[in-house]
Amino acid sequence: MYRAVTRDIEVTVEPNFLPERSSVENRQYFWSYTIVITNSGTETVQLRTRYWLIIDATGRQQEVRGEGVVGEQPVLAPGERFEYTSGVPLPTASGFMSGRYQMVSETGERFEIDVPTFSLDSPADGKRVLN
C-alpha cells in the first residue's frame, strides 16, 4: 500500500495486476488500483479535478486530466472517506503512476493534494531491480 498526506487529507493506493485482462503476447498489461481518500482535517472539502502522470517501463509518459474521479466529485466532511477503484493499461509489464487532486474547501479555497507515486508490477516483469 502507498500513502500520502496533504493538509490532513490522506490518500492511499493499492494497485493490483489483472492477468485475466492482460495479454503478454499482445503486449497489453492491465492493473486496477483502489484509492481511499480520508479527511482527517477539520474542514469539509470537495474533490474537483484529477491529474495523473503514467510512465511505462520504456519511459513513455502519458498525462491524464479530468473532472472528479469515476464520474464523481465527492464531498468529504471531517472524518469521512471516499473509496473508488479504477484501472490503467500499459504496453509494458511495469510502470509507475503519480498524481494529484484539486480540492476546494468550504470557504472556497482551492488547493492540491498528492496521490503517492505507486508502482505497477506484473509477474511477467522478471527483471526486478531493487535500489
Side-chain angles (χ1 to χ4, degrees):
M1 175 131 14
Y2 299 83
R3 178 179 180 266
V5 179
T6 310
R7 283 182 60 158
D8 294 322
I9 301 170
E10 177 185 69
V11 179
T12 61
V13 183
E14 190 165 344
N16 184 32
F17 179 67
L18 300 177
E20 68 278 7
R21 300 234 2 228
S22 301
S23 171
V24 175
E25 301 81 34
N26 296 323
R27 295 186 43 194
Q28 296 173 339
Y29 302 87
F30 196 86
W31 289 263
S32 68
Y33 53 90
T34 299
I35 294 189
V36 178
I37 304 164
T38 304
N39 182 0
S40 299
T42 58
E43 61 184 344
T44 297
V45 296
Q46 181 179 25
L47 188 156
R48 287 292 181 86
T49 65
R50 70 183 182 283
Y51 166 80
W52 290 111
L53 175 61
I54 306 163
I55 304 172
D56 70 20
T58 66
R60 187 178 67 93
Q61 297 185 9
Q62 178 183 0
E63 293 184 64
V64 178
R65 299 173 195 275
E67 297 292 315
V69 291
V70 294
E72 297 188 48
Q73 292 182 320
V75 174
L76 298 168
E80 290 186 335
R81 60 183 248 156
F82 179 79
E83 179 175 334
Y84 74 95
T85 300
S86 191
V88 61
L90 287 181
T92 59
S94 65
F96 290 92
M97 283 181 67
S98 63
R100 60 187 176 265
Y101 299 128
Q102 183 189 78
M103 310 295 283
V104 62
S105 71
E106 55 198 344
T107 62
E109 178 191 2
R110 294 182 184 272
F111 61 96
E112 291 186 341
I113 63 171
D114 294 324
V115 177
T117 298
F118 57 98
S119 179
L120 302 169
D121 299 305
S122 76
D125 185 22
K127 305 177 301 236
R128 200 161 286 200
V129 176
L130 299 177
N131 294 342

